[in-house]
Amino acid sequence: MKVGIFFGGISREREVSFAGGRTVYDNLDKTLFEAVPIFVDSFNNFILLDWHFIYKGSIRDFYPPVSALKSAKYPVQIYAESIKSAYQDNGLSLAVKLGKVIKPDELKGLIDFAFLALHGNFGEDGTIQGLLEWMRIPYSGSGIMPSALGMNKRLQKSLMKEAGMHVPATFSFSKQEWLHGNRKKLFASVRALFNNQCVVKPANQGSSVGVSVIATERFADFEKAVNKSFFIQEVGAAEWEKLNREEKISFVQKLSDVKEGIGLPCLVNDQMIYHPDELFTLFDKQLTAANKITLEGYYSETECLIEDFIEGREFSCIVVRNTDGTPVALPPTEIVKGKEVFDYRSKYLPGLSRKITPIDLPVADIERIRKACVQLFGYFGFHVYARIDGFINKEGKLFLNDPNTTSGMMPSSFFFHQAAEIGLNPSQFLTYIIRTSLAERVASLSTHVHEQALLRQLDAKLLAGKNKKSSKKRVAVFMGGYSTERHISVESGRNIYEKLASSAKYAPFPVFVTGNDAKHELYLIPVNIMLKDNADDIREKVMHFKRSPVIDKIAKECKGILQQFGNDAALSAPKKITYAELAKLTDAVFIALHGRPGEDGTVQKELNRLRIPYNGSGVASSQITINKYDTNELLKQKGFLVADHMLVHEDKWKQQRAKVIEAIEKIGYPLIAKPADDGCSSAVKKIKTREDLINYADGVFRSSLAISPQLAARLKLKPKEEFPKKSYFLIERFVEKGNKAIHFLEVTGGMLTHYQNNQLLFETFEPSETLAEGEVLSLEEKFLAGQGQNITPARYAKTPAAQKLISKQVQQTLMKGAKVLGVEGYCRIDAFVRVMPKNKVEVVFIEVNSLPGMTPATAIFHQCALNGYKPYEFIDRILEFGTARTRKNKVS
């Protein structure tokens, strides 16, 4: 069955949609479905997307295409709607560079079924559902009417109140009332209705975009929050003039962002501003000490909704159609965070918030939540599935809030998280959604011969698959660990598991690794624990496993779903195993660990002993590359360029601080300080002054694991940002362009190894150019959907001939470095590149990753795509190399 995955779109949630669509694309069962990626661009064009683009980190990495970007004065990332000329042909000249543009009447010839991963306007408001019904194409999820109801928060509240449901006090008004009415009168109404705090939000947005929590005392706070909900921002002269150039760029970047700011284009006195450069010009020329400028997002909001702030436990619950057609609520998840709003960053960056499933409440309260969610599902007439959010306060009063007919489909979203609790992995749950959606279309459409035929075909394949004995290769996927990279390791491991689980070749199972440098332990974990929010949650469940009776009850209620789409083993308890026991369970291991004990040779030593094939480098190479200082020392000895560097040890720092500072300052400020054996941008800081250096050392060499608020402020840590406690750290000279270079950039380059006639051959990939918004690449830019930017291939020169020549030099240098370090399997090398006159190149090595991150949109997937490998094929080659190496070593 050809399944068209619709993702992207024009909404402010487009990056979540893009990442969710990629998850669906990867996890569709390859024995049942052929995935057809239909990207919806900024102008609502349908594009049969070239698969290479699916694995980009964000939409802005490929759209608008680099060829469409003229030289901008300021380095601010943009979306395609910032290109003014694109409006002349509705973006078609840009769209054709991404794949084949599809007219709506051509969809029927390309796909049998539409899987909707779109969010917001035109995606979950009934619009595209109507178009697909017009074209006679069955689709996933709710139909036209329930989708429209599920989009408007104000209308939802009104209907829920009429039905006698508990609804927080609400107040709403239109944008026209705000722009042309009496704002003080609106504020007075808010003060009269709400006591202390209220939530101000757009009525038609998701992903916590445009949401504020304010006290109801100050008009200025109220005005700012309402403007934010309407994507309006006032910029004052004093505010602009106090910023330096770097701060101005950051300010405009945030302002231009569709998630955090008003987005571009925007309106200023009926004048359309398309590009960030135009904003700079506007601010510099028209802002004077006496005035301010009001900007209004072109992609705006029509209505502001204000709700009473509920002090209580926040939850989210997925409701699905059971095999008998009745709705059933999956285990509700509690969202645990600090005092901050559950915003975009908290929702989608690993490790910032916690999702506890089921919510830690008495069984009776959980059942009340489930019953209320099922009632709301039925009341709004939702189809197939919905996500319903809510609160339960201290008095036990239940408030339901913001039902969504299209849930986020990121790898660890509520959508997959709760399905795993009844025993379905992501691939199985997507099969269930498609099958149930087909049944829904058969039931709700007056003519459904085509849908009925597809349903019979799918059921026959499902039955045949159940009866077929598996001959798949067993792969243990190691994830977790105990370094500051443990959360990213879980993201990598889940991605590997999911890509293998949907294949016809492999049968993966997750293995969680925990412990410390003295001893590590292995645990077999079921898929529901693998999909917990982060490594710490997984460890907690492994160490203190207790299954709630609610889970058993819901699994029993969903027995028909589990029998048709899953398997009973998925609900097993975690089990501690030895390496010897592992050897009997698996044919190979994929090490998705970052830091110790995965990248330092410890795990590899155990697997070698039992002759279990694994990915990546062997023991000796891993022991070198885990330490950035040792790596760069060896490279330097062999004639490669590295930054001047030194290790700072805790004992010397405490005993001879002045002497150590003197030695460091000989290298010269600015410097980069970072852990020598951690990656993922963990605790990487630019050091500009002696005070910065002392603060950094105080952080690394602190006496206790906890960080005081004062120290966190000195280190300028973001909320919940981790900062490792170590006995030493690395100092490097801050690498800069220099006087002779004509171009300077940071790159990351991947490679793959093969055997040919028993000889090790290296296949290098085109490196990616890494763009950081700040002084160093942040965790968000690496791993948060829609943040950061990687350009692949890196832009070394303006002419194709020079580009090819320089790229070849860079790849050759990186490969030679990998050979010196004894890398095997695959790796990723980060470096700075100076392009000198006559196309000569200087490559300054930063670090070598022997087990690079394998998260869904990591840059190495962009690179291998240019060599013709889809991510699954790349992972397959890595595993096949490990098997060949074990066989070769056994023979020798």
Side-chain angles (χ1 to χ4, degrees), residues 174-421:
S174 70
K175 186 168 71 172
Q176 292 307 309
E177 288 178 87
W178 179 248
L179 293 177
H180 306 297
N182 187 328
R183 295 187 179 188
K184 290 289 176 83
K185 191 176 177 182
L186 291 171
F187 180 55
S189 298
V190 168
R191 290 204 66 179
L193 191 58
F194 306 106
N195 292 322
N196 300 312
Q197 282 185 300
C198 62
V199 181
V200 183
K201 62 171 83 169
N204 297 282
Q205 304 288 332
S207 292
S208 300
V209 172
V211 178
S212 304
V213 176
I214 62 164
T216 54
E217 298 164 357
R218 283 167 34 91
F219 175 74
D221 293 343
F222 170 72
E223 189 172 43
K224 185 177 179 182
V226 174
N227 277 337
K228 181 180 177 182
S229 76
F230 284 127
F231 306 103
I232 293 170
Q233 184 156 343
E234 295 178 344
V235 182
E239 180 185 9
W240 179 251
E241 288 170 3
K242 73 179 182 183
L243 303 176
N244 61 34
R245 185 180 187 277
E246 204 170 72
E247 290 168 338
K248 284 180 177 178
I249 291 170
S250 179
F251 178 82
V252 171
Q253 176 69 72
K254 189 172 181 179
L255 191 69
S256 306
D257 195 289
V258 294
K259 303 180 301 298
E260 295 185 80
I262 61 168
L264 292 178
C266 66
L267 288 161
V268 181
N269 298 327
D270 294 329
Q271 175 193 352
M272 192 79 85
I273 303 293
Y274 291 91
H275 197 277
D277 284 0
E278 296 175 54
L279 272 184
F280 278 97
T281 303
L282 179 78
F283 293 158
D284 287 338
K285 287 188 176 179
Q286 294 190 23
L287 272 180
T288 66
N291 73 3
K292 61 185 177 183
I293 291 175
T294 301
L295 302 101
E296 181 185 345
Y298 178 73
Y299 294 98
S300 188
E301 174 59 51
T302 58
E303 198 168 10
C304 174
L305 179 65
I306 301 177
E307 299 174 350
D308 199 11
F309 179 81
I310 301 168
E311 193 75 56
R313 310 270 291 274
E314 188 173 358
F315 63 82
S316 189
C317 184
I318 301 288
V319 179
V320 298
R321 287 273 182 204
N322 215 330
T323 47
D324 64 0
T326 59
V328 58
L330 298 183
T333 298
E334 181 176 9
I335 303 151
V336 180
K337 56 189 189 303
K339 293 288 185 184
E340 72 278 3
V341 177
F342 189 44
D343 62 6
Y344 189 88
R345 183 173 181 263
S346 296
K347 272 189 177 182
Y348 300 115
L349 188 63
L352 286 195
S353 62
R354 293 183 64 209
K355 301 185 182 89
I356 298 175
T357 308
I359 184 171
D360 187 14
L361 285 172
V363 171
D365 284 333
I366 296 176
E367 287 301 296
R368 278 202 304 130
I369 290 172
R370 294 183 63 229
K371 184 178 178 181
C373 290
V374 164
Q375 286 176 339
L376 186 60
F377 185 93
Y379 178 66
F380 280 127
F382 292 144
H383 303 148
V384 188
Y385 79 95
R387 195 194 83 225
I388 298 168
D389 302 335
F391 295 87
I392 185 167
N393 68 12
K394 291 176 184 176
E395 291 75 39
K397 198 172 182 181
L398 196 61
F399 297 87
L400 297 185
N401 194 39
D402 297 353
N404 285 266
T405 53
T406 302
S407 175
M409 295 178 192
M410 305 275 272
S412 60
S413 68
F414 300 118
F415 184 73
F416 296 121
H417 195 80
Q418 293 176 20
E421 293 293 344

Side-chain angles (χ1 to χ4, degrees), residues 10-310:
I10 70 168
S11 84
R12 293 175 181 274
E13 303 170 80
R14 68 188 74 171
E15 294 290 1
V16 176
S17 169
F18 179 68
R22 173 173 54 231
T23 306
V24 176
Y25 182 86
D26 278 340
N27 281 280
L28 282 183
D29 188 329
K30 306 302 184 292
T31 66
L32 299 171
F33 308 112
E34 178 187 340
V36 181
I38 308 290
F39 178 69
V40 184
D41 72 6
S42 297
F43 302 92
N44 272 343
N45 294 306
F46 296 140
I47 303 165
L48 180 59
L49 192 67
D50 180 340
W51 68 266
H52 295 82
F53 297 122
I54 294 170
Y55 299 100
K56 297 295 187 181
S58 74
I59 292 170
R60 290 181 299 189
D61 281 359
F62 67 92
Y63 181 71
V66 174
S67 59
L69 296 174
K70 294 179 181 177
S71 296
K73 190 174 179 182
Y74 300 95
V76 176
Q77 298 173 38
I78 63 168
Y79 286 103
E81 57 266 32
S82 284
I83 298 178
K84 188 176 180 180
S85 60
Y87 289 82
Q88 294 171 359
D89 65 356
N90 198 45
L92 288 173
S93 55
L94 301 179
V96 295
K97 296 176 182 177
L98 306 181
K100 184 184 178 185
V101 179
I102 305 297
K103 293 177 183 176
D105 60 0
E106 294 176 306
L107 287 170
K108 186 85 173 172
L110 285 171
I111 62 175
D112 301 307
F113 180 89
F115 196 105
L116 301 179
L118 293 166
H119 295 287
N121 296 334
F122 303 106
E124 53 182 323
D125 60 358
T127 308
I128 194 164
Q129 289 82 358
L131 173 66
L132 290 166
E133 288 198 15
W134 185 274
M135 305 310 303
R136 301 302 314 276
I137 298 171
Y139 55 88
S140 63
S142 282
I144 300 168
M145 180 63 77
S147 294
L149 287 174
M151 187 67 189
N152 189 298
K153 296 179 177 67
R154 195 265 309 156
L155 183 59
Q156 288 169 9
K157 293 287 187 299
S158 176
L159 292 170
M160 289 163 69
K161 193 172 182 180
E162 285 181 23
M165 300 179 189
H166 290 310
V167 177
T170 60
F171 181 72
S172 64
F173 49 87
S174 70
K175 186 168 71 172
Q176 292 307 309
E177 288 178 87
W178 179 248
L179 293 177
H180 306 297
N182 187 328
R183 295 187 179 188
K184 290 289 176 83
K185 191 176 177 182
L186 291 171
F187 180 55
S189 298
V190 168
R191 290 204 66 179
L193 191 58
F194 306 106
N195 292 322
N196 300 312
Q197 282 185 300
C198 62
V199 181
V200 183
K201 62 171 83 169
N204 297 282
Q205 304 288 332
S207 292
S208 300
V209 172
V211 178
S212 304
V213 176
I214 62 164
T216 54
E217 298 164 357
R218 283 167 34 91
F219 175 74
D221 293 343
F222 170 72
E223 189 172 43
K224 185 177 179 182
V226 174
N227 277 337
K228 181 180 177 182
S229 76
F230 284 127
F231 306 103
I232 293 170
Q233 184 156 343
E234 295 178 344
V235 182
E239 180 185 9
W240 179 251
E241 288 170 3
K242 73 179 182 183
L243 303 176
N244 61 34
R245 185 180 187 277
E246 204 170 72
E247 290 168 338
K248 284 180 177 178
I249 291 170
S250 179
F251 178 82
V252 171
Q253 176 69 72
K254 189 172 181 179
L255 191 69
S256 306
D257 195 289
V258 294
K259 303 180 301 298
E260 295 185 80
I262 61 168
L264 292 178
C266 66
L267 288 161
V268 181
N269 298 327
D270 294 329
Q271 175 193 352
M272 192 79 85
I273 303 293
Y274 291 91
H275 197 277
D277 284 0
E278 296 175 54
L279 272 184
F280 278 97
T281 303
L282 179 78
F283 293 158
D284 287 338
K285 287 188 176 179
Q286 294 190 23
L287 272 180
T288 66
N291 73 3
K292 61 185 177 183
I293 291 175
T294 301
L295 302 101
E296 181 185 345
Y298 178 73
Y299 294 98
S300 188
E301 174 59 51
T302 58
E303 198 168 10
C304 174
L305 179 65
I306 301 177
E307 299 174 350
D308 199 11
F309 179 81
I310 301 168

Side-chain angles (χ1 to χ4, degrees), residues 21 40 111 262 315 454 527 565-566 584 701 704 815 866 892:
V40 184
I111 62 175
I262 61 168
F315 63 82
L454 286 172
V527 68
F565 301 97
K584 297 173 185 176
F701 300 146
S704 65
M815 182 183 70
L866 296 181
S892 61

Side-chain angles (χ1 to χ4, degrees), residues 481-497:
Y482 44 81
S483 77
T484 54
E485 304 171 75
R486 63 195 180 280
H487 303 311
I488 304 303
S489 165
V490 166
E491 290 287 301
S492 290
R494 282 197 283 237
N495 186 44
I496 297 298
Y497 170 88

